[in-house]
Amino acid sequence: MSGSGFDSATLISAGYALTSEELIQRDVKASEDVAQYALRLGDDALILAQRNLWWVARAPELEEDIALSNIALDLLGHARVLLTYAGSAWGKSEDDLAYFREEEEFRSLHLVELESEDFGRTIARQLVWAHYGFELFTRLSQSQDEILAAIAQKAAKEYDYHVDHAEQWTLRLGIGTEEANARLQAGLDHIAPYLDELFEDEELHDRLEGIAPRPSELREPVMSRVTSVLAEAGLTLPEVPQALTGGRRGEHREALGYLLAEMQVLARKHPGASW
Amino acid sequence: MTNNVTELPGRDDLDLERAQAYFDQLIADDSRVEPADWMPDAYRKTLTRQMAQHAHSEIIGMQPEANWITRAPSLKRKAILTAKVQDEAGHGLYLYSAAETLGTPRDVMTEQLISGKAKYSSIFNYPARTWADMGAIGWLVDGAAICNQVPLCRCSYGPYGRAMVRICKEESFHQRQGWEILYSLSNGTAAQKQMAQEAVNRLYGPALQMFGPPDDQSPNSQQSMDWNIKRFSNDVLRQRFVDMIVPQAEALGLTLPDPDLKWNEERGHYDFGELDWTEFFDVIKGHGPANAQRLARRKEAHENGAWVREAAAAYAAKQAEAATRVA
Amino acid sequence: MSETTESVQPAGRNEWPLWEVFVRSSRGLSHVHAGSLHAPDEHMALRNARDLYTRRNEGVSLWVVRSTDITASDPDHKDSYFESSQGKNFRHATYYTKSEGVKHL
């Protein structure tokens, strides 16, 4: 439990949006296990936000530029509040964690690190990720940890919208033209080896009974929704051997190093500076 | 979309002279011209050009800032900058759709932009070299833009004025966040302060040039003022801006790079030095450090997105066809 | 912001069609025209309208209508349309002055 000491009825009310600033104000402190868990979710959100932000001023149409950056902004919001919460256990800020950790200290999944400078790849990942986020945060909003529950309740609503975005594009690309169908299929082929990792339980989850859902219980709802939309769009998620996992232990693909180099360069050039 | 009565001959109530008189009266009354009204071709052309240029500036203006989103030095700044660039896309869209009411479809305007035929604000052809540029762009570039835009809210063309009202409402956060970035830098480490000063040094001149050439070299200005499109001349707005930013620079603890800048008691305004208009026209003609890069990125985004736009259009057509078959 | 009536989609263009967006700013108020946008179909038009016109809590409900589906009064016939209501002041309460000072009337 978080030991945050304020009652959930006031925290989790309709339309409530817990921000990282507010967490600091409330002076909460996460337990080590909860912090490790929040760190995983925060890292996933941060790395995917950074990937999706590549699209700013590059999207297929201006309206879509706004849509993709909206999604990235939601993810960035999740990252900030989750990292703030995680950092509360160690006396670290969201920026300490985002900018001053080494590659092997990040706990993000391989799927979110994948290079995606192609709309087909981006939509393929968004389709799986939005369903994953929706299922995960819907369950997490019932957490016995009030802070996680409050964060999750807002995030689940946002993910609901990301699901619609990804599904609508999946249908349009899948059914619209042959070329688009092929390009989204290539995107699905690209992400397929990295999906098992999303559903792997860790020892940590044993210790978080009632606080965090087990990743393995998300597999069925996520994959059944994803495959049914893909079927409607004339696409398939290929059954392929899974790549070795390790993101949760800090064993990443090469892509993450470049992403972090870019993200962290300025902050690291001016240690101790405030912005 | 177009309502050019000269293309609709044979209708006795569409008398050109009466239409012109009606238009003139709207302008004289400081009323608004709406899309379906008759308007002189020159008015339509001037507005279309101005609104398209304005929209292009918003869209191209996303790039210098997008350049720093992935490197923003804190997550909060990353979020703010993203929201700001997103607004710029939104402002571009408000303006394109306002311009479309005059009869030019957006894809034609886009074509004009990526082929290099259309102009946009020359300031975006300078590179955003450091993070401090995010501050200076917000404070100086958006500040100058707001100075220009506030009077445009009362522009005689209804859709343009309404777009500007919406834009001005959203824009106020842009200038403030920029000023705040510079304030943080100026009150930060020596290296940060230097970064801020250098960005202001680079962007001060180009920001003042955003108001356009001096009045005596701006031949179309008078006509735009007569039509109530423009409400104040370039030089009047430029002066207003200088008077505004001098105390703001003092509050930042930064200097404006102009040795001739001083208060003129008699005029009740700040005097300022001559701007480099040779460079201004060079950059407009395409010789700025980033002209080619900005256009290339826009073109690439547009071309790389073609398959996506086509797929969505094809899907819509298929859905519509299926619906008719069922019915 | 395209208050167009006869939105022309010239042949050969594969641009997404134009949609007009109406936003209800809060419950109890009418939907008001906010502007326009391009989208391939009505679902995407609604999505885009949400992202473009309600980024700052501007609305609780959205309508999108294809620009070509709006029929507008002809500005060249505005006299015949709107002149008649001029000169019929008796339709307004302010026309009736005798009751001034009488309460609840």
Side-chain angles (χ1 to χ4, degrees):
Chain A
M1 288 300 296
S2 68
S4 53
F6 50 93
D7 73 276
S8 57
T10 55
L11 188 61
I12 312 176
S13 55
Y16 187 83
L18 189 64
T19 61
S20 50
E21 283 92 349
E22 200 178 338
L23 269 191
I24 295 166
Q25 242 172 36
R26 290 182 185 241
D27 200 23
V28 297
K29 192 171 185 304
S31 70
E32 177 66 23
D33 283 343
V34 167
Q36 286 294 343
Y37 182 72
L39 186 70
R40 281 157 169 70
L41 304 191
D43 281 351
D44 287 343
L46 177 60
I47 303 304
L48 185 56
Q50 183 79 1
R51 278 287 181 235
N52 284 345
L53 284 170
W54 179 85
W55 283 103
V56 175
R58 287 196 179 94
E61 186 53 286
L62 293 170
E63 281 87 351
E64 188 56 24
D65 216 300
I66 298 182
L68 284 171
S69 47
N70 249 0
I71 290 172
L73 265 180
D74 285 344
L75 292 168
L76 198 50
H78 306 162
R80 292 187 60 198
V81 68
L82 285 162
L83 292 182
T84 300
Y85 192 34
S88 71
W90 312 307
K92 290 194 185 292
S93 70
E94 53 180 286
D95 288 336
D96 293 336
L97 292 175
Y99 292 96
F100 295 95
R101 271 184 302 156
E102 300 301 319
E103 197 178 320
E104 65 271 16
E105 295 172 275
F106 275 79
R107 291 290 172 264
S108 45
L109 297 166
H110 287 184
L111 180 68
V112 295
E113 317 170 354
L114 291 180
E115 303 88 337
S116 57
E117 299 171 2
D118 169 90
F119 198 69
R121 285 185 179 187
T122 291
I123 294 302
R125 174 165 56 196
Q126 279 301 121
L127 180 69
V128 173
W129 192 260
H131 278 293
Y132 181 71
F134 179 75
E135 295 298 332
L136 168 58
F137 285 107
T138 301
R139 284 164 179 73
L140 193 60
S141 63
Q142 302 302 317
S143 172
Q144 288 164 20
D145 184 292
E146 297 97 331
I147 305 284
L148 284 178
I151 294 170
Q153 208 176 50
K154 176 162 196 286
K157 279 185 226 148
E158 289 169 338
Y159 268 113
D160 194 18
Y161 204 73
H162 303 181
V163 164
D164 183 62
H165 174 266
E167 289 194 350
Q168 295 304 327
W169 274 116
T170 299
L171 293 173
R172 279 156 189 75
L173 300 183
I175 297 169
T177 62
E178 266 175 52
E179 183 193 3
N181 181 289
R183 293 183 71 150
L184 180 50
Q185 187 58 59
L188 292 162
D189 297 348
H190 179 68
I191 63 162
Y194 305 97
L195 299 185
D196 265 5
E197 192 184 12
L198 275 63
F199 309 110
E200 275 174 11
D201 293 341
E202 297 173 81
E203 231 182 283
L204 174 67
H205 300 105
D206 298 339
R207 300 195 297 272
L208 291 173
E209 194 66 41
I211 289 173
R214 287 179 172 278
S216 56
E217 68 185 71
L218 304 173
R219 182 190 287 271
E220 199 285 320
V222 171
M223 296 316 285
S224 71
R225 278 160 214 268
V226 167
T227 44
S228 93
V229 177
L230 289 178
E232 194 185 339
L235 296 156
T236 47
L237 204 50
E239 302 252 350
V240 292
Q242 292 293 297
L244 284 179
T245 59
R248 294 297 192 219
R249 294 185 305 277
E251 294 158 14
H252 295 281
R253 299 169 67 263
E254 288 171 357
L256 185 65
Y258 290 94
L259 182 147
L260 293 181
E262 183 178 3
M263 186 176 84
Q264 297 178 334
V265 61
L266 180 59
R268 289 199 175 206
K269 233 193 242 177
H270 302 267
S274 67
W275 304 92
Chain B
M1 205 172 282
T2 55
N3 240 289
N4 196 329
V5 290
T6 53
E7 291 167 5
L8 301 167
R11 294 176 59 181
D12 48 17
D13 54 342
L14 295 183
D15 166 55
L16 191 58
E17 222 168 282
R18 262 184 56 202
Q20 175 78 50
Y22 187 74
F23 173 85
D24 292 343
Q25 194 59 48
L26 284 179
I27 300 295
D29 294 344
D30 201 0
S31 183
R32 297 291 178 267
V33 178
E34 294 296 344
D37 290 328
W38 181 89
M39 62 191 85
D41 281 345
Y43 178 83
R44 187 186 299 278
K45 266 188 206 137
T46 299
L47 268 172
T48 304
R49 191 182 53 233
Q50 181 174 337
M51 286 155 77
Q53 278 181 18
H54 198 158
H56 296 332
S57 301
E58 296 280 356
I59 299 308
I60 295 292
M62 294 165 71
Q63 291 184 33
E65 291 170 299
N67 180 40
W68 281 95
I69 286 179
T70 50
R71 290 177 290 168
S74 77
L75 296 185
K76 181 173 142 190
R77 290 284 168 213
K78 192 192 284 287
I80 293 172
L81 191 59
T82 304
K84 177 175 190 270
V85 176
Q86 196 183 35
D87 275 352
E88 280 151 13
H91 297 173
L93 288 178
Y94 302 156
L95 289 161
Y96 280 131
S97 59
E100 281 187 275
T101 63
L102 291 166
T104 308
R106 198 211 293 175
D107 60 348
V108 171
M109 292 185 267
T110 303
E111 190 50 46
Q112 288 165 348
L113 172 63
I114 60 182
S115 65
K117 264 181 258 161
K119 291 194 168 61
Y120 54 84
S121 191
S122 66
I123 195 146
F124 302 119
N125 289 321
Y126 291 90
R129 292 210 180 98
T130 69
W131 171 253
D133 289 44
M134 301 304 97
I137 288 175
W139 175 47
L140 293 173
V141 176
D142 293 319
I146 292 170
C147 246
N148 255 328
Q149 287 166 356
V150 168
L152 282 172
C153 295
R154 293 189 294 122
C155 165
S156 62
Y157 187 57
Y160 194 20
R162 291 191 286 279
M164 291 317 308
V165 168
R166 188 177 285 276
I167 289 171
C168 285
K169 260 191 221 160
E170 298 185 351
E171 193 93 34
S172 58
F173 117 73
H174 295 185
Q175 192 185 12
R176 283 193 179 201
Q177 65 85 37
W179 193 87
E180 210 184 273
I181 287 175
L182 289 178
Y183 185 84
S184 302
L185 294 176
S186 181
N187 291 284
T189 65
Q192 283 180 303
K193 178 155 189 175
Q194 191 191 344
M195 195 197 289
Q197 184 60 59
E198 283 171 3
V200 170
N201 292 351
R202 275 182 283 119
L203 285 165
Y204 169 79
L208 260 55
Q209 290 177 324
M210 286 174 66
F211 295 95
D215 291 348
D216 53 16
Q217 293 168 50
S218 181
N220 301 322
S221 275
Q222 192 52 48
Q223 178 62 77
S224 282
M225 302 225 337
D226 292 345
W227 275 330
N228 292 343
I229 295 173
K230 252 176 112 106
R231 297 284 177 166
F232 301 99
S233 79
N234 296 353
D235 286 334
V236 166
L237 289 171
R238 189 167 10 249
Q239 180 71 60
R240 187 181 288 177
F241 181 62
V242 171
D243 291 346
M244 248 169 47
I245 60 170
V246 171
Q248 291 172 354
E250 282 165 13
L252 282 174
L254 298 173
T255 29
L256 295 173
D258 181 356
D260 299 324
L261 191 66
K262 60 171 185 301
W263 178 252
N264 183 326
E265 191 65 52
E266 204 177 308
R267 292 201 308 125
H269 291 291
Y270 284 93
D271 290 335
F272 54 96
E274 191 60 35
L275 297 163
D276 185 347
W277 292 105
T278 316
E279 178 180 304
F280 175 78
F281 286 112
D282 271 356
V283 175
I284 282 198
K285 279 181 214 136
H287 309 310
N291 295 58
Q293 177 195 332
R294 301 284 186 245
L295 275 190
R297 171 138 170 200
R298 194 66 248 144
K299 190 163 186 263
E300 199 178 277
H302 189 71
E303 287 170 359
N304 288 346
W307 68 273
V308 177
R309 296 192 300 276
E310 279 159 22
Y315 175 82
K318 284 179 188 178
Q319 294 295 105
E321 200 187 319
T324 358
R325 242 184 286 125
V326 171
Chain C
M1 319 258 137
S2 138
E3 290 105 275
T4 64
T5 49
E6 29 178 327
S7 155
V8 189
Q9 199 65 241
R13 283 193 194 301
N14 55 9
E15 192 182 40
W16 291 345
L18 196 64
W19 301 76
E20 301 301 324
V21 179
F22 299 82
V23 180
R24 184 200 292 283
S25 55
S26 71
R27 302 184 74 84
L29 296 178
S30 304
H31 285 79
V32 173
H33 186 237
S36 59
L37 50 77
H38 288 270
D41 54 56
E42 64 271 15
H43 191 105
M44 297 304 270
L46 262 187
R47 285 199 58 94
N48 292 345
R50 177 256 196 186
D51 290 339
L52 187 56
Y53 290 104
T54 67
R55 291 197 304 285
R56 290 179 171 79
N57 308 320
E58 291 94 335
V60 296
S61 164
L62 285 167
W63 286 350
V64 292
V65 186
R66 241 181 222 264
S67 305
T68 45
D69 287 345
I70 293 180
T71 309
S73 60
D74 183 346
D76 301 320
H77 288 110
K78 59 185 167 301
D79 290 354
S80 54
Y81 261 78
F82 305 116
E83 194 59 40
S84 154
S85 58
Q86 308 274 331
K88 293 189 177 71
N89 294 350
F90 47 80
R91 280 188 173 131
H92 299 273
T94 48
Y95 179 80
Y96 304 93
T97 54
K98 294 271 191 299
S99 50
E100 264 170 32
V102 180
K103 282 183 181 168
H104 309 302
L105 199 68

